[in-house]
Amino acid sequence: MQRTIEIRTDDLSGEATRRLIARHLAGMHDTSPPDSVHALDIDALRHPSLSVWSAWIDGELAGVGALKALDADRGEIKSMRVDDRFLGFGVGRALLRHIMDDARRRGMGTLWLETGTTPEFLPAQRLYESEGFTHCGPFGDYALDPFSVFMTRVL
């Protein structure tokens, strides 16, 4: 049965969203050394340069994702996380495509992201590659790090 994924702008005030962001951050700390964790907490996600969306299936929070405006031409994908109960439902792809569409509407020409290198991050890397992202070097304030993979995509 195909389930409908509803994507909404999220103000980060809902308890379900706050719990998923907290689990995301905790998961990053479980798989990477502290200096290699680039995930954002709730307060950092409220920065004016960020837009956050949540994905819902049958009234339940299924995932979150964010777009950070690096400048007028470039954006960074942040805080992509699918709730474990909804893995394999296409939630991550739906959020990623929504973020790419929003970046295009804003006139951005490229998107960038940082993700992890440990086995837990392989599904995310495959998703990004399947949507046209390619590996690149560090960007912005990032530094070369054995626990980070950097990717970019022209829109």
Side-chain angles (χ1 to χ4, degrees):
M1 171 176 89
Q2 179 70 25
R3 292 184 166 182
T4 301
I5 300 169
E6 178 191 355
I7 298 178
R8 313 173 187 162
T9 300
D10 200 303
D11 66 4
L12 304 169
S13 65
E15 189 56 37
T17 301
R18 296 174 70 76
R19 276 194 312 270
L20 186 56
I21 296 294
R23 278 199 312 271
H24 175 63
L25 195 56
M28 298 303 100
H29 283 282
D30 288 345
T31 58
S32 302
D35 290 346
S36 297
V37 173
H38 304 290
L40 303 176
D41 65 17
I42 287 286
D43 291 334
L45 284 168
R46 286 197 170 103
H47 191 274
S49 67
L50 283 135
S51 299
V52 180
W53 294 273
S54 51
W56 298 80
I57 295 177
D58 298 332
E60 293 188 67
L61 179 64
V64 295
L67 173 63
K68 178 180 180 181
L70 298 174
D71 56 41
D73 300 318
R74 300 176 311 134
E76 180 182 359
I77 295 172
K78 296 295 292 179
S79 300
M80 287 281 291
R81 176 66 184 234
V82 175
D83 187 289
D84 292 346
R85 297 171 300 146
F86 294 99
L87 292 172
F89 285 77
V91 174
R93 187 172 307 278
L95 279 164
L96 180 58
R97 288 179 176 173
H98 183 86
I99 290 168
M100 290 190 303
D101 288 344
D102 188 79
R104 279 187 201 96
R105 279 192 295 277
R106 295 181 193 200
M108 292 180 181
T110 56
L111 283 178
W112 303 79
L113 65 88
E114 178 276 337
T115 191
T117 59
T118 59
E120 298 87 357
F121 294 97
L122 285 176
Q125 290 179 36
R126 287 189 196 113
L127 168 65
Y128 296 132
E129 289 168 348
S130 75
E131 290 292 332
F133 284 81
T134 58
H135 293 259
C136 63
F139 62 93
D141 294 333
Y142 291 104
L144 202 55
D145 181 337
F147 287 90
S148 290
V149 169
F150 303 99
M151 302 177 87
T152 187
R153 183 189 194 282
V154 174
L155 295 175

